[in-house]
Amino acid sequence: MEHETRWTVDIDIHEYDDRTRAEARLSTGAGTERTGTGTARKHPHDANVPAIGDELAVARAMADLSHQLIEATAADIEAVTRRPAHLTE
């Protein structure tokens, strides 16, 4: 049985002062949405390279989103099996 689904992630990056904040919003197309957030801060002595702050904030937002998905998956497995889920690679 084949199954194909498209999920999309929209990322917004906001820069203010020496801080960068990213939001990664996941939409599954089935009404489920999750938002991961991440921040980065430029050290006062570092060169002003906004792309570096963007990359770090987005990476942290995606990591947050990933963690949320793992927790949701474990909860879904436990709801179906009525046993603790042990997710490993």
Side-chain angles (χ1 to χ4, degrees), residues 4-55:
E4 184 174 321
T5 305
R6 178 177 299 273
W7 290 11
T8 58
V9 176
D10 292 310
I11 300 172
D12 290 323
I13 302 168
H14 307 279
E15 295 179 15
Y16 50 96
D17 298 326
D18 289 337
R19 298 186 182 274
T20 304
R21 183 174 193 276
E23 291 183 355
R25 283 182 310 284
L26 169 69
S27 175
T28 67
T32 301
E33 291 194 10
R34 297 188 185 284
T35 301
T37 59
T39 59
R41 181 181 60 86
K42 184 183 88 58
H43 189 277
H45 296 105
D46 289 345
N48 188 19
V49 184
I52 294 172
D54 293 354
E55 290 170 347

